[in-house]
Coordinates of all heavy atoms in Angstrom, one line a residue:
K1612 N -17.0 109.0 33.0 CA -15.9 108.1 33.3 C -15.9 107.7 34.8 O -15.7 106.6 35.2 CB -14.6 108.7 32.9 CG -14.4 108.9 31.5 CD -13.1 109.6 31.2 CE -12.9 110.0 29.7 NZ -11.6 110.7 29.5
K1613 N -16.2 108.8 35.7 CA -16.2 108.6 37.1 C -17.5 109.3 37.6 O -17.9 110.3 37.1 CB -15.0 109.1 37.8 CG -13.7 108.4 37.5 CD -12.5 108.9 38.2 CE -11.3 108.1 37.9 NZ -10.1 108.7 38.6
V1614 N -18.0 108.9 38.8 CA -19.2 109.5 39.4 C -19.0 109.6 40.9 O -18.6 108.7 41.6 CB -20.4 108.6 39.1 CG1 -21.6 109.2 39.9 CG2 -20.7 108.5 37.6
V1615 N -19.2 110.8 41.4 CA -19.2 111.1 42.8 C -20.6 111.5 43.3 O -21.2 112.4 42.7 CB -18.2 112.3 43.1 CG1 -18.3 112.7 44.6 CG2 -16.8 112.0 42.7
I1616 N -21.0 110.8 44.3 CA -22.4 111.0 44.8 C -22.3 111.6 46.2 O -21.5 111.1 47.1 CB -23.1 109.6 45.0 CG1 -23.3 109.0 43.6 CG2 -24.4 109.8 45.7 CD1 -24.3 109.7 42.7
S1617 N -23.0 112.7 46.4 CA -23.2 113.2 47.8 C -24.7 112.8 48.2 O -25.6 112.9 47.4 CB -23.0 114.7 47.9 OG -23.9 115.4 47.1
A1618 N -24.9 112.4 49.4 CA -26.2 111.9 49.9 C -26.6 112.5 51.2 O -25.8 112.7 52.1 CB -26.1 110.3 50.0
E1619 N -27.9 112.8 51.3 CA -28.4 113.3 52.5 C -28.2 112.3 53.6 O -28.0 112.7 54.8 CB -29.9 113.7 52.3 CG -30.2 114.8 51.4 CD -29.9 116.2 52.1 OE1 -30.0 116.3 53.3 OE2 -29.6 117.1 51.3
K1620 N -28.4 111.0 53.3 CA -28.4 110.0 54.3 C -27.8 108.7 53.7 O -28.1 108.3 52.6 CB -29.8 109.7 54.8 CG -30.0 108.8 55.9 CD -31.4 108.6 56.3 CE -31.6 107.7 57.5 NZ -33.0 107.5 57.9
I1621 N -26.9 108.1 54.5 CA -26.4 106.8 54.2 C -27.3 105.7 54.8 O -27.5 105.8 56.0 CB -24.9 106.6 54.7 CG1 -24.0 107.7 54.1 CG2 -24.4 105.2 54.4 CD1 -23.9 107.7 52.5
V1622 N -27.8 104.8 54.0 CA -28.7 103.8 54.4 C -28.2 102.4 54.1 O -27.2 102.3 53.5 CB -30.1 104.0 53.8 CG1 -30.7 105.4 54.1 CG2 -30.0 103.9 52.3
T1623 N -28.9 101.4 54.5 CA -28.7 100.1 54.1 C -29.8 99.5 53.3 O -31.0 99.5 53.8 CB -28.5 99.2 55.4 OG1 -27.4 99.7 56.2 CG2 -28.2 97.7 55.0
F1624 N -29.5 99.2 52.1 CA -30.5 98.6 51.2 C -30.5 97.1 51.3 O -29.4 96.5 51.4 CB -30.3 99.0 49.7 CG -30.4 100.5 49.4 CD1 -29.3 101.2 49.0 CD2 -31.6 101.1 49.6 CE1 -29.4 102.5 48.7 CE2 -31.7 102.5 49.3 CZ -30.6 103.2 48.9
N1625 N -31.7 96.5 51.4 CA -31.7 95.0 51.4 C -31.7 94.5 50.0 O -31.8 95.2 49.0 CB -32.9 94.5 52.2 CG -34.2 94.9 51.6 OD1 -34.4 94.8 50.4 ND2 -35.1 95.4 52.5
I1626 N -31.6 93.2 49.9 CA -31.4 92.6 48.6 C -32.6 92.8 47.7 O -32.5 92.7 46.4 CB -31.1 91.1 48.7 CG1 -30.6 90.5 47.4 CG2 -32.4 90.3 49.2 CD1 -30.0 89.1 47.6
E1627 N -33.8 93.1 48.3 CA -35.0 93.3 47.5 C -35.2 94.8 47.1 O -36.2 95.1 46.5 CB -36.2 92.8 48.2 CG -36.1 91.3 48.4 CD -37.3 90.7 49.2 OE1 -38.1 91.6 49.8 OE2 -37.5 89.5 49.3
S1628 N -34.3 95.7 47.6 CA -34.5 97.1 47.4 C -34.3 97.5 45.9 O -33.4 97.0 45.3 CB -33.5 97.9 48.3 OG -33.7 97.7 49.6
K1629 N -35.2 98.3 45.5 CA -35.1 98.8 44.1 C -34.3 100.1 44.1 O -34.7 101.1 44.8 CB -36.4 99.1 43.5 CG -36.4 99.6 42.1 CD -37.8 99.9 41.5 CE -37.7 100.5 40.1 NZ -39.0 100.8 39.6
V1630 N -33.1 100.2 43.5 CA -32.3 101.4 43.5 C -32.3 102.0 42.1 O -32.6 101.3 41.1 CB -30.8 101.1 43.9 CG1 -30.8 100.6 45.3 CG2 -30.1 100.1 42.9
D1631 N -32.1 103.3 42.0 CA -32.1 104.0 40.8 C -30.8 104.1 40.0 O -30.7 104.1 38.8 CB -32.6 105.5 41.0 CG -34.0 105.5 41.5 OD1 -34.9 105.0 40.9 OD2 -34.2 106.0 42.6
I1632 N -29.7 104.0 40.8 CA -28.3 103.9 40.2 C -27.6 102.8 41.0 O -27.5 102.9 42.2 CB -27.6 105.2 40.3 CG1 -28.2 106.3 39.5 CG2 -26.1 105.1 39.9 CD1 -27.6 107.7 39.7
P1633 N -27.1 101.8 40.3 CA -26.4 100.7 41.0 C -25.0 101.1 41.3 O -24.3 101.9 40.7 CB -26.5 99.6 40.0 CG -26.5 100.3 38.6 CD -27.2 101.5 38.8
H1634 N -24.4 100.4 42.3 CA -23.1 100.7 42.8 C -22.0 100.6 41.8 O -21.0 101.3 41.8 CB -22.8 99.7 44.0 CG -22.7 98.2 43.5 ND1 -21.5 97.7 43.1 CD2 -23.6 97.3 43.3 CE1 -21.7 96.4 42.7 NE2 -23.0 96.1 42.9
L1635 N -22.1 99.7 40.8 CA -21.1 99.6 39.8 C -20.9 100.8 38.9 O -19.9 100.9 38.2 CB -21.4 98.3 38.9 CG -22.7 98.3 38.2 CD1 -22.7 99.0 36.8 CD2 -23.1 96.8 38.0
M1636 N -21.8 101.8 39.0 CA -21.7 103.0 38.2 C -21.1 104.2 39.0 O -20.9 105.3 38.5 CB -23.0 103.4 37.6 CG -23.6 102.3 36.7 SD -25.3 102.8 36.1 CE -24.9 103.9 34.8
V1637 N -20.8 103.9 40.3 CA -20.4 105.0 41.2 C -19.0 104.7 41.8 O -18.6 103.6 42.1 CB -21.4 105.1 42.4 CG1 -21.0 106.1 43.4 CG2 -22.8 105.5 41.8
D1638 N -18.2 105.8 41.9 CA -16.8 105.7 42.3 C -16.6 106.2 43.8 O -15.7 105.8 44.4 CB -15.9 106.5 41.4 CG -15.9 105.9 40.0 OD1 -15.2 104.9 39.7 OD2 -16.7 106.4 39.2
A1639 N -17.4 107.2 44.2 CA -17.3 107.7 45.6 C -18.6 108.2 46.1 O -19.5 108.6 45.4 CB -16.3 108.9 45.5
V1640 N -18.8 108.0 47.4 CA -20.0 108.4 48.1 C -19.6 109.3 49.3 O -18.7 109.0 50.1 CB -20.8 107.2 48.7 CG1 -22.0 107.7 49.4 CG2 -21.1 106.3 47.5
V1641 N -20.3 110.4 49.5 CA -20.1 111.4 50.6 C -21.4 111.6 51.3 O -22.4 111.8 50.6 CB -19.5 112.7 50.0 CG1 -19.3 113.7 51.2 CG2 -18.2 112.5 49.3
E1642 N -21.4 111.5 52.6 CA -22.6 111.9 53.3 C -22.6 113.4 53.7 O -21.7 113.8 54.4 CB -22.7 111.0 54.6 CG -24.0 111.3 55.3 CD -24.3 110.4 56.5 OE1 -23.3 109.8 57.0 OE2 -25.4 110.2 56.9
V1643 N -23.5 114.1 53.2 CA -23.6 115.5 53.5 C -25.1 115.9 53.6 O -25.8 116.0 52.7 CB -23.0 116.4 52.3 CG1 -23.0 117.9 52.8 CG2 -21.7 116.0 51.9
Q1644 N -25.5 116.1 54.9 CA -26.9 116.6 55.1 C -27.0 118.0 54.6 O -26.1 118.8 54.8 CB -27.2 116.5 56.6 CG -28.6 116.8 57.0 CD -28.9 116.6 58.4 OE1 -28.0 116.4 59.2 NE2 -30.2 116.7 58.8
N1645 N -28.1 118.3 54.0 CA -28.4 119.6 53.3 C -27.3 119.9 52.2 O -27.0 121.0 52.0 CB -28.4 120.7 54.4 CG -29.5 120.5 55.4 OD1 -30.6 120.2 55.0 ND2 -29.2 120.8 56.6
G1646 N -26.9 118.8 51.6 CA -25.9 119.0 50.5 C -26.3 119.7 49.3 O -25.4 120.0 48.5
A1647 N -27.6 119.9 49.1 CA -28.1 120.7 48.0 C -28.4 122.1 48.4 O -28.6 123.0 47.5 CB -29.3 120.1 47.4
A1648 N -28.4 122.5 49.6 CA -28.7 123.8 50.1 C -27.7 124.8 49.6 O -26.5 124.5 49.5 CB -28.8 123.8 51.6
P1649 N -28.2 126.0 49.3 CA -29.5 126.6 49.5 C -30.5 126.2 48.4 O -31.6 126.8 48.3 CB -29.3 128.1 49.6 CG -28.1 128.3 48.7 CD -27.3 127.1 48.8
C1650 N -30.2 125.3 47.5 CA -31.2 124.8 46.5 C -32.1 123.8 47.2 O -31.8 123.4 48.4 CB -30.4 124.2 45.3 SG -29.4 125.3 44.4
S1651 N -33.1 123.3 46.5 CA -34.0 122.4 47.1 C -33.6 121.0 47.0 O -32.7 120.6 46.2 CB -35.4 122.6 46.5 OG -35.4 121.9 45.2
C1652 N -34.2 120.1 47.8 CA -34.0 118.7 47.7 C -35.4 118.0 48.0 O -35.9 118.1 49.1 CB -33.0 118.2 48.7 SG -32.5 116.4 48.5
A1653 N -36.0 117.5 47.0 CA -37.3 117.0 47.1 C -37.6 116.1 48.3 O -36.8 115.3 48.6 CB -37.7 116.2 45.8
T1654 N -38.7 116.3 48.9 CA -39.2 115.7 50.1 C -38.5 116.1 51.4 O -38.9 115.8 52.5 CB -39.1 114.1 50.1 OG1 -37.7 113.7 50.2 CG2 -39.7 113.6 48.8
L1655 N -37.4 116.9 51.3 CA -36.6 117.3 52.5 C -36.6 118.8 52.8 O -36.9 119.2 53.9 CB -35.2 116.8 52.4 CG -35.1 115.3 52.3 CD1 -33.6 114.9 52.0 CD2 -35.6 114.6 53.6
Y1656 N -36.3 119.6 51.8 CA -36.3 121.1 52.0 C -36.4 121.8 50.7 O -36.2 121.3 49.6 CB -35.0 121.5 52.7 CG -33.7 121.0 52.2 CD1 -33.0 121.6 51.1 CD2 -33.2 119.8 52.7 CE1 -31.8 121.1 50.6 CE2 -32.0 119.3 52.2 CZ -31.3 119.9 51.2 OH -30.1 119.4 50.7
D1657 N -36.9 123.1 50.8 CA -37.2 123.9 49.6 C -36.0 124.9 49.4 O -35.0 124.9 50.1 CB -38.5 124.7 49.9 CG -39.1 125.1 48.6 OD1 -38.5 125.0 47.5 OD2 -40.3 125.5 48.6

Side-chain angles (χ1 to χ4, degrees):
K1612 298 177 184 177
K1613 293 182 180 179
V1614 174
V1615 175
I1616 297 292
S1617 61
E1619 292 284 334
K1620 186 178 181 181
I1621 300 299
V1622 300
T1623 299
F1624 295 117
N1625 62 47
I1626 195 169
E1627 297 177 349
S1628 297
K1629 180 182 178 182
V1630 298
D1631 296 303
I1632 296 175
H1634 65 92
L1635 55 87
M1636 302 176 77
V1637 174
D1638 297 275
V1640 179
V1641 180
E1642 185 175 21
V1643 188
Q1644 188 176 7
N1645 297 318
C1650 299
S1651 76
C1652 189
T1654 74
L1655 297 175
Y1656 47 88
D1657 205 348

